[in-house]
């Protein structure tokens, strides 16, 4: 099977791009009536060229400065470019601008076609070629061949095809399996079939019958049929032009700039973190809070630049920035973008996306800037760890790694498994079969915050060795995930840095600090409840014996519960732990011998009064020993 690649044209208006494509392919890319009438290309057009081992989808772009946004949409996903320069006109403004755009888009392969050679003499051709060499010095086209052509006479067309074929042989291919992605550049209706969208497939494979995600709407849509340059195909893959017939999609709701992708792969975002370059020849630097037109994929969105490490990016310089967009966009790590001025008169610069989905970063925040720098300069493993770190307490998924580091899903999963085994990543079970993957620093930070929160509670209540879990939770609401906090508490209990149970917890290194008088009062409380058995005293009754420690009675009772001396029954009602165990034993034995007991018999069995018998019976119901049936109590273990 021939390898599929996408070739794009570039160059100034009226330099013969469309005529050259027609001479190469026999296809006229000007499809709009206005283009035919005016004799200029307004929007992107398409053709196909078979070169034996390579099958090229050609994207012909307009050269007029007013249609640069269309040129940018067409340049998305191209693998190689032909820079077209007319021999009778030489290098012109949009020649330079298109070349700068191709450089900003990260293109690495291409060649130069010198057109209209039949209109000039040999000396002029040589002078123009010198000007071209000067133009492309230092760019990806510096060593590219310049092929002399004429669409009118056919001069150089076979040589141009041969040169294109030679460039194709050098275009590298990605070997890892990828998820599907295609930016939409146009749509139309086919009678009897419905909406068809077209674009250049930049990653992965899509087959008939597949479900794909329509973004930024985040709706799942089904693929009815597929075409590649008017021929029906079963699948489309990276390097192909694709026409995709979608089921149930209203044509009027499809716009250029939307995307189709494997479900879950891309996330719409209004905030992106960028590596931003200002072009050498712009008149003014890019300033903090500058309004720009942001070109990404086939989309053009107004946005505001926020510079993170400087106040201006001077011509020829780089900076780190965030962009805040009026509408959400979809991106992946390393994806090139271009920024133009609000009036769309000049290209200001461009760069690469570092964070496809980002939160606002405070300017000159050193730790954040260092980590963002690692997204560009670090290894793949460092990028994965950085994406994990920025995931914070919310954690991250394989899709976040694929989107945020430009690795394939298989390679991404292998990296995650390796980093988890080495302890760089931690998996926490948060209930309901949900497992959260976090950077180890996030787990350590949350553990420290839990310990600090408990430390403050211990400082506030120095007599209490444990505190209610829900009370701790209220101090950590900002984490935004109660189940994660509870799971991390369990992790600390397992590592013996905390003590407690499902209801109450405390720091393992904390011991209540009791004065001599408080210790005596605590001993009196325990003795009084032990002696009273099933008619326990009320806490207020100890106020006279407490003296100056009356305010500590409640805390001392909680301490007695935490240390296992007392058991809370209801409100201010407590039983000594021995009495509670005896009560369960007595009631359990009697109910095993009898079918049911009224409250009065339970009262008499315990030698108490109704005042205590009713809450004691309700407590036994709560702990699952008994079950109420009308006015009687039966063993909960007995079948209903």
């Amino acid at each position: 099977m021939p390898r599929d690649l996408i070739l794009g044209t570039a160059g100034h208006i009226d330099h013969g791009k469309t005529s050259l494509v027609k001479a190469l392919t026999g296809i006229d890319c000007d499809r709009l009536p206005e283009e035919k009438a005016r004799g200029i290309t307004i929007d992107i057009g398409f053709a196909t060229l078979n070169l034996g081992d390579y099958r090229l989808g050609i994207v012909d772009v307009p050269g007029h400065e007013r249609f640069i946004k269309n040129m940018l949409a067409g340049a998305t996903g191209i693998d190689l470019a032909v820079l077209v320069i007319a021999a009778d006109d030489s290098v012109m403004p949009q020649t330079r601008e298109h070349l700068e755009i191709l450089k900003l888009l990260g293109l690495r392969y291409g060649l130069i076609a010198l057109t209209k050679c039949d209109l000039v003499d040999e000396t002029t051709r040589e002078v123009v070629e010198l000007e071209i060499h000067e133009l492309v010095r230092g760019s990806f086209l510096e060593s590219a061949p310049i092929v002399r052509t004429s669409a009118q006479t056919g001069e150089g067309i076979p040589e141009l095809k041969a040169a294109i074929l030679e460039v194709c042989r050098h275009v590298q291919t990605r070997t890892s399996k990828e998820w599907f992605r295609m930016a939409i550049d146009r749509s139309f209706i086919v009678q009897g079939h419905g909406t068809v969208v077209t674009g250049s497939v930049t990653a992965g494979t899509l087959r008939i019958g597949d479900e794909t995600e329509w973004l930024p709407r985040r709706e799942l849509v089904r693929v009815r049929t597929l075409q590649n340059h008017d021929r029906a195909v079963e699948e489309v893959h990276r390097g192909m032009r694709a026409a995709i017939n979608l089921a149930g999609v209203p044509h009027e709701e499809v716009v250029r700039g939307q995307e189709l992708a494997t479900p879950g792969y891309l996330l719409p975002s209004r905030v992106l973190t960028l590596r931003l370059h200002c072009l050498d020849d712009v008149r003014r630097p890019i300033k903090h809070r500058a309004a720009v037109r942001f070109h990404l994929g086939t989309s053009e969105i107004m946005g505001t630049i926020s510079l993170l490490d400087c106040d201006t990016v001077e011509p020829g310089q780089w900076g780190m920035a965030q962009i805040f967009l009026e509408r959400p966009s979809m991106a992946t790590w390393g994806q090139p973008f271009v920024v133009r001025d609000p009036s769309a008169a000049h290209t200001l610069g461009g760069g690469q996306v570092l964070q496809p989905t980002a939160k606002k970063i405070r300017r000159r925040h050193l730790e954040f800037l260092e980590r963002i720098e690692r997204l560009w300069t670090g290894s793949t493993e460092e990028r994965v760890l950085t994406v994990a770190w920025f995931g914070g307490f919310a954690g991250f998924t394989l899709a976040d790694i694929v989107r945020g580091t430009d690795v394939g899903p298989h390679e991404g999963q292998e990296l995650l498994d390796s980093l988890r085994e080495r302890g760089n990543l931690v998996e926490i079970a948060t209930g309901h079969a949900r497992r959260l993957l976090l950077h180890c620093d996030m787990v350590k930070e949350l553990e420290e915050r839990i310990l600090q929160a408990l430390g403050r509670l211990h400082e506030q209540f120095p007599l209490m060795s444990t505190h209610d879990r829900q009370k701790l939770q209220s101090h950590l609401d900002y984490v935004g995930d109660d189940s994660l906090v509870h799971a991390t508490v369990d992790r600390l209990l397992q590592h013996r840095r905390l003590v407690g149970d499902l209801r109450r917890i405390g720091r393992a290194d904390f011991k209540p600090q009791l004065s001599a008088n408080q210790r005596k009062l605590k001993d009196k409380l325990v003795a009084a409840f032990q002696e009273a058995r099933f008619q326990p005293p009320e806490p207020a009754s100890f106020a006279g014996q407490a003296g100056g420690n009356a305010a500590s009675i409640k805390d001392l009772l909680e301490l007695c519960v935490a240390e296992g001396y007392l058991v809370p029954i209801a409100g201010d009602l407590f039983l000594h732990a021995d009495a509670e165990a005896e009560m369960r034993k007595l009631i359990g034995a009697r109910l095993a011998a009898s079918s049911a007991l009224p409250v009065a018999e339970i009262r008499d069995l315990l030698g108490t009064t109704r005042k205590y018998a009713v809450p004691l019976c309700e407590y036994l119901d709560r702990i699952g020993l008994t079950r109420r049936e009308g006015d009687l109590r039966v063993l909960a273990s007995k079948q209903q």
Side-chain angles (χ1 to χ4, degrees), residues 63 87 122 191 273 277 290 320 356 388 400 414 436 463 466 472 475 528 578 608 628:
E122 179 63 24
Q191 198 67 33
T273 306
H277 175 64
M320 283 189 282
D400 295 325
E414 287 183 339
L436 200 61
L463 302 184
T466 62
L472 170 69
H475 288 258
D578 293 344
T608 185
R628 181 174 179 176

Side-chain angles (χ1 to χ4, degrees), residues 15 35 57 171 253 265 347 367 384 458 484 493 501 640:
H15 276 206
E35 292 176 320
V171 177
E253 294 181 20
Y265 175 24
T347 299
E367 182 184 13
V384 170
H458 285 318
L484 173 61
L493 286 168
D501 53 30
Q640 297 186 25

Side-chain angles (χ1 to χ4, degrees), residues 314-469:
E314 298 293 332
Q317 299 300 308
W318 289 86
M320 283 189 282
Q322 288 193 305
I323 188 159
F324 295 84
L325 299 169
E326 291 183 358
R327 303 192 316 274
S329 70
M330 291 68 62
T332 55
W333 177 90
Q335 183 174 349
F337 65 87
V338 172
V339 290
R340 310 191 77 228
D341 66 351
S343 63
H346 304 285
T347 299
L348 304 178
Q352 296 84 29
V353 174
L354 297 181
Q355 289 182 305
T357 59
K359 295 178 181 176
K360 183 178 180 180
I361 294 173
R362 197 168 73 243
R363 298 185 71 209
R364 296 186 170 90
H365 190 296
L366 189 58
E367 182 184 13
F368 278 29
L369 291 179
E370 287 176 350
R371 291 186 182 272
I372 289 169
E373 183 67 28
R374 277 180 228 158
L375 283 171
W376 185 251
T377 61
S379 64
T380 303
E381 191 172 281
E382 286 177 304
R383 292 205 304 271
V384 170
L385 288 172
T386 303
V387 170
W389 190 86
F390 274 103
F393 297 137
F396 61 95
T397 64
L398 175 60
D400 295 325
I401 297 302
V402 174
R403 183 189 322 114
T405 67
D406 196 37
V407 298
H410 180 71
E411 182 186 354
Q413 188 60 60
E414 287 183 339
L415 281 165
L416 294 184
D417 293 341
S418 173
L419 291 168
R420 187 167 51 224
E421 287 173 9
R422 284 146 51 189
N424 299 107
L425 303 177
V426 179
E427 190 173 63
I428 294 182
T430 56
H432 305 295
R434 177 171 171 252
R435 306 188 75 83
L436 200 61
L437 202 55
L438 300 171
H439 192 288
C440 61
D441 288 354
M442 293 298 112
V443 177
K444 290 174 185 174
E445 183 177 339
L446 183 53
E447 289 177 344
E448 285 304 313
R449 291 190 185 190
I450 289 170
L451 291 168
Q452 289 171 8
L454 278 170
R456 290 191 293 271
L457 287 172
H458 285 318
E459 188 177 330
Q460 188 178 358
F461 304 102
L463 302 184
M464 296 175 65
S465 59
T466 62
H467 296 273
D468 189 84
R469 277 197 180 207

Side-chain angles (χ1 to χ4, degrees), residues 98-254:
H98 280 210
L99 178 59
E100 290 293 350
I101 287 171
L102 294 177
K103 287 158 62 178
L104 290 170
L105 293 177
L107 208 65
R108 297 171 56 193
Y109 308 99
L111 66 159
I112 302 158
L114 186 63
T115 58
K116 304 188 180 182
C117 286
D118 57 310
L119 301 181
V120 298
D121 57 24
E122 179 63 24
T123 302
T124 303
R125 295 182 187 186
E126 291 175 357
V127 170
V128 173
E129 286 176 354
L130 287 173
E131 292 175 351
I132 292 172
H133 283 301
E134 181 67 27
L135 170 71
V136 300
R137 184 177 294 128
S139 76
F140 71 100
L141 291 177
E142 183 172 22
S143 302
I146 300 175
V147 182
R148 298 178 176 185
T149 66
S150 169
Q152 295 300 317
T153 67
E155 176 190 350
I157 299 303
E159 290 82 359
L160 181 59
K161 288 182 180 180
I164 292 172
L165 178 60
E166 186 59 32
V167 174
C168 288
R169 293 192 176 109
H170 291 87
V171 177
Q172 295 180 354
T173 183
R174 297 186 64 153
T175 56
S176 61
K177 185 174 176 61
E178 301 173 304
W179 285 335
F180 175 78
R181 182 182 186 189
M182 187 192 85
I184 296 171
D185 52 36
R186 72 184 172 124
S187 69
F188 51 88
I189 293 177
V190 174
Q191 198 67 33
H193 294 273
T195 300
V196 174
V197 301
T198 72
S200 300
V201 180
T202 53
T205 300
L206 187 71
R207 297 176 177 83
I208 293 174
D210 283 354
E211 270 196 334
T212 184
E213 190 171 11
W214 177 23
L215 295 147
R217 297 169 67 101
R218 303 191 73 176
E219 295 178 17
L220 294 181
V221 293
R222 186 174 57 81
V223 177
R224 275 181 174 166
T225 59
L226 294 167
Q227 283 195 353
N228 168 243
H229 291 293
D230 298 324
R231 64 186 181 95
V233 292
E234 290 296 313
E235 67 173 46
V236 291
H237 53 255
R238 188 184 188 281
M240 293 178 70
R241 288 290 304 173
I244 305 173
N245 180 206
L246 299 172
V249 172
H251 168 254
E252 62 275 10
E253 294 181 20
V254 179

Side-chain angles (χ1 to χ4, degrees), residues 494-530:
Q494 187 178 13
H495 293 166
R496 299 185 179 178
R497 298 180 70 187
L498 296 182
V499 295
D501 53 30
L502 291 174
R503 198 172 72 87
R504 300 183 64 82
I505 52 172
R507 288 179 60 139
D509 58 0
F510 175 78
K511 301 297 178 190
Q513 304 297 315
L514 301 181
S515 66
N517 288 335
Q518 286 172 331
R519 278 196 297 273
K520 288 179 183 178
L521 180 56
K522 176 192 158 191
D523 292 341
K524 287 181 181 178
L525 289 171
V526 173
F529 277 95
Q530 188 170 26

Side-chain angles (χ1 to χ4, degrees), residues 17 62 159 183 296 437 489 556 559:
K17 294 184 295 299
E159 290 82 359
L296 183 77
L437 202 55
V489 166
L556 288 171
L559 179 58

